[in-house]
Amino acid sequence: MKFVELSKEEFQSFAESHEQESFFQTVEIAELRKSYGSKIYYLGVKEKNTIIAGAMFSVTKTFAGKYTFYAPRGFLMDYHNKELLKFFTEELKKYCKKRNGLMIKIDPNVIYRVRGNDGSIISDKKDDETINNLKKIGYKHFGFNTDIVNTQSRWNFRVELNKPYEELKKDFSRSTRKNIDATYKKGIQVRKGTIEDLESMEEILIKTAERKGFNYRSLEYYTRMYKCLKDKMQIYLAYLDPDVYLNSSLELLKNEEENNANINKKMEHDNVGNKLINQKSTSDKLLEKYRDEVELAKKFKKENPKGKDIGVLISLKSGQEYLTLYSGFLVEYKRFTPKYAMYNEHILDAYKYKIPYVNFYGISGIFNPKDENYGMYEFKRGFGGNVVELIGEFTYPLSPLYYVYTNLRKIKIFIRAHKS
C-alpha cells in the first residue's frame, strides 16, 4: 500500500464509482469551499496503482493558528478493513501534522442503522464494527447525538424508489396525497430555476430563515454554489399561476353555490332536522370562505399578472441519492402548501434521472411531537420511506490544543441548547 496525493481527475473518477459516493465528496464542492478560502487536498491509498481509499479534504484555520483537515462525508473506503484504515490514518497523521494540523475530522457516509418510518428500531442489524474500528485507533466519536448540531446531519429521511411512482404514491400518507393533489389544483406549478432566478430564490429563503430563526446565505453564496455545482444542483420554484388560481376559486364557489341551493330546496320541502341545519351552516361558511378567496384571487391577478414565485427547493444529485438541501416558502401563501408540489417534483425527477433513492436530508432523532423539529420530520415521513441513522462525526487529535478546542466547542453547544 502507498499513501499518495491524488490529482483532481483521479479523485473524481474514484469517487464517482464508490458505493459511498456523495455530493459532499466531489470536486465541485471542493471548488465551492476553495472559493471561500479553504485549501483543498485530494489524498488516498493506492495498491498496485489502483486507488483503494481516498478523500477530499477541506482545510481551514480553526484555533491558535492550527488547522482542521475535514473530509465531509468521508473517507471513501472499506472501514471494515482494519489494516487499510490504520495505514491511511497513520499516513494522514504524519501528512497533516507537517501542515500544522489540529485534527482530522470525518462524518462518513456510512449507515449505522435503518429505522422504521416512525423512527422505531426494526432490525438488530447495525454497523458497530466501523465505529469500534475507528475508536480503537484513536478517533473520538462525537456520539449518537439526536439533534442537528454537528456539521452534517446524522439523521436523514430517505425513500427508496423501488416501484413505479403510482405504486409508491400509495405509501404516502392520506394527508400528503391530498395536499399534493390540492396544491396543483389551487394554481401551484413548479418550474426549474436558472441563475437568473437566484434573487427571487434568495428572497424566499431569507424570509423563511428569519421566520424560523435560522442563519441564511447571501446571494453571492448561492451564485458561487450554482456556478461550482453545475448540473449537480437543481432549483425548483413553486409558482402561483394567477389564471389557474382564479379559475379554481371560481369553480369551488360555483360548486358550493349549487350545493347551498340544493340544501335550501330540501329545507323548503323536508322536515328540517339537526343534520340538515348542520349541512346548511357548513355550506354557508364555505360560501363565505370561497367568496373571499375569489376576491383574493382577483386581487392577486391584478397585482401579479405574470404570477409569483412563492416557494423554493434546492436539490442535489448525490451519488445514489437525490438530496433536498434547502427549502422555504412565503408564509402569506402557506395555504397553497407549495412544499408538497416541490417535493413531489423532486421525486418525479429522481425517477427520470434513474436515481434509486430520494433523501430528504436532515431530521431530528427525537420522534416526539413536543420536539421543536418534529414538524420537519412529520412532513417528510408523509412520503413513506425510512429513517436512516448514520454513524456520526469523528475527530482524530493532532495537537494538545485539540482538547482546549473541543472543550470550548462543548461550552458553545451547551449555551446554544439552553438559550431562552
Side-chain angles (χ1 to χ4, degrees):
M1 290 188 288
K2 184 179 179 183
F3 179 79
V4 293
E5 290 184 338
L6 301 170
S7 69
K8 182 192 294 187
E9 293 73 23
E10 280 183 308
F11 174 75
Q12 184 174 25
S13 177
F14 169 71
E16 288 179 351
S17 63
H18 201 278
E19 64 178 2
Q20 294 159 5
E21 177 192 7
S22 79
F23 144 75
F24 301 95
Q25 277 290 307
T26 58
V27 296
E28 289 86 0
I29 199 66
E31 289 302 310
L32 179 60
R33 287 176 175 270
K34 189 176 179 180
S35 74
Y36 277 95
S38 293
K39 192 161 185 179
I40 301 299
Y41 295 96
Y42 300 104
L43 305 172
V45 178
K46 285 185 178 180
E47 189 170 63
K48 297 179 181 178
N49 290 322
T50 299
I51 303 170
I52 57 173
M56 178 275 287
F57 289 85
S58 174
V59 182
T60 53
K61 188 177 282 189
T62 302
F63 180 75
K66 295 287 187 178
Y67 292 84
T68 292
F69 283 71
Y70 176 39
R73 288 293 189 243
F75 316 127
L76 303 178
M77 64 173 297
D78 177 7
Y79 289 86
H80 295 176
N81 186 332
K82 296 178 184 178
E83 183 184 1
L84 173 60
L85 180 59
K86 185 175 181 181
F87 176 80
F88 193 23
T89 300
E90 288 299 318
E91 295 301 316
L92 277 173
K93 186 165 66 172
K94 296 175 200 172
Y95 186 92
C96 298
K97 276 188 172 183
K98 285 180 182 178
R99 289 157 180 80
N100 217 21
L102 175 73
M103 63 179 168
I104 299 164
K105 178 179 171 183
I106 59 175
D107 40 31
N109 190 27
V110 174
I111 295 173
Y112 176 63
R113 177 160 46 197
V114 176
R115 293 172 175 256
N117 183 282
D118 60 355
S120 62
I121 295 173
I122 55 176
S123 169
D124 292 334
K125 186 178 178 181
K126 54 184 179 175
D127 192 358
D128 286 313
E129 184 180 349
T130 291
I131 294 172
N132 291 334
N133 287 349
L134 285 164
K135 289 167 74 173
K136 281 177 184 176
I137 58 174
Y139 287 90
K140 310 296 181 184
H141 191 203
F142 188 70
F144 293 105
N145 62 298
T146 55
D147 49 15
I148 314 176
V149 297
N150 53 336
T151 310
Q152 306 297 343
S153 175
R154 197 174 83 82
W155 298 83
N156 296 272
F157 202 93
R158 192 173 74 169
V159 180
E160 185 176 5
L161 308 184
N162 57 356
K163 59 183 79 171
Y165 171 75
E166 290 303 326
E167 288 295 313
L168 184 80
K169 197 174 178 182
K170 293 176 184 177
D171 295 335
F172 297 177
S173 71
R174 186 165 175 257
S175 63
T176 296
R177 291 196 303 270
K178 183 179 176 181
N179 280 321
I180 289 171
D181 295 339
T183 197
Y184 290 115
K185 288 179 183 177
K186 291 172 186 173
I188 296 296
Q189 297 180 11
V190 179
R191 65 186 183 86
K192 305 286 179 66
T194 66
I195 197 165
E196 285 77 24
D197 295 299
L198 292 180
E199 285 190 22
S200 175
M201 180 193 82
E202 185 204 30
E203 178 190 357
I204 296 169
L205 290 178
I206 285 176
K207 288 183 177 180
T208 300
E210 288 174 345
R211 186 174 76 247
K212 294 187 174 182
F214 296 160
N215 293 325
Y216 57 81
R217 303 282 192 175
S218 65
L219 178 60
E220 180 197 12
Y221 175 82
Y222 291 118
T223 303
R224 289 192 192 190
M225 185 179 182
Y226 190 88
K227 289 178 178 178
C228 288
L229 300 184
K230 301 170 186 172
D231 63 345
K232 289 187 182 293
M233 175 177 166
Q234 181 64 65
I235 301 169
Y236 295 95
L237 288 157
Y239 159 86
L240 182 55
D241 185 294
D243 293 317
V244 178
Y245 175 25
L246 178 56
N247 292 336
S248 173
S249 300
L250 287 168
E251 184 178 357
L252 286 169
L253 177 59
K254 180 185 175 184
N255 290 340
E256 197 53 48
E257 284 175 338
E258 291 175 357
N259 181 49
N260 195 272
N262 289 332
I263 292 172
N264 287 334
K265 284 182 182 179
K266 284 185 178 182
M267 294 183 79
E268 289 174 5
H269 300 95
D270 297 350
N271 292 326
V272 179
N274 288 335
K275 184 177 179 180
L276 204 54
I277 291 171
N278 289 337
Q279 287 177 353
K280 170 66 174 169
S281 175
T282 300
S283 182
D284 286 346
K285 289 175 182 176
L286 285 173
L287 275 178
E288 185 178 354
K289 175 185 174 182
Y290 294 149
R291 283 171 184 149
D292 289 344
E293 198 65 44
V294 167
E295 292 307 310
L296 288 171
K298 288 177 179 177
K299 182 182 178 184
F300 177 83
K301 184 174 180 178
K302 185 178 180 180
E303 295 174 351
N304 304 277
K306 294 182 178 179
K308 184 178 179 65
D309 294 328
I310 66 169
V312 63
L313 171 68
I314 299 176
S315 298
L316 297 167
K317 294 175 184 174
S318 184
Q320 296 297 297
E321 300 178 330
Y322 196 32
L323 183 80
T324 60
L325 190 62
Y326 305 120
S327 68
F329 61 88
L330 299 177
V331 71
E332 59 267 36
Y333 297 97
K334 183 179 179 180
R335 67 188 185 282
F336 293 92
T337 57
K339 281 183 73 173
Y340 286 95
M342 294 186 295
Y343 272 68
N344 192 55
E345 293 297 324
H346 171 97
I347 292 170
L348 291 170
D349 276 350
Y351 277 100
K352 290 179 188 175
Y353 303 144
K354 300 188 185 305
I355 298 175
Y357 295 94
V358 290
N359 187 340
F360 294 149
Y361 202 42
I363 58 171
S364 166
I366 302 172
F367 306 100
N368 185 326
K370 294 181 180 179
D371 182 64
E372 61 179 345
N373 295 308
Y374 186 81
M376 184 192 307
Y377 152 70
E378 188 174 34
F379 166 77
K380 293 175 181 180
R381 77 164 177 167
F383 291 88
N386 292 91
V387 172
V388 174
E389 182 184 357
L390 300 182
I391 61 172
E393 181 182 311
F394 295 80
T395 51
Y396 194 101
L398 299 173
S399 161
L401 288 173
Y402 164 86
Y403 298 97
V404 178
Y405 171 79
T406 52
N407 285 333
L408 289 173
R409 183 187 181 194
K410 287 176 184 177
I411 292 169
K412 183 179 178 181
I413 291 170
F414 178 83
I415 291 171
R416 184 167 57 187
H418 290 80
K419 265 186 180 178
S420 57

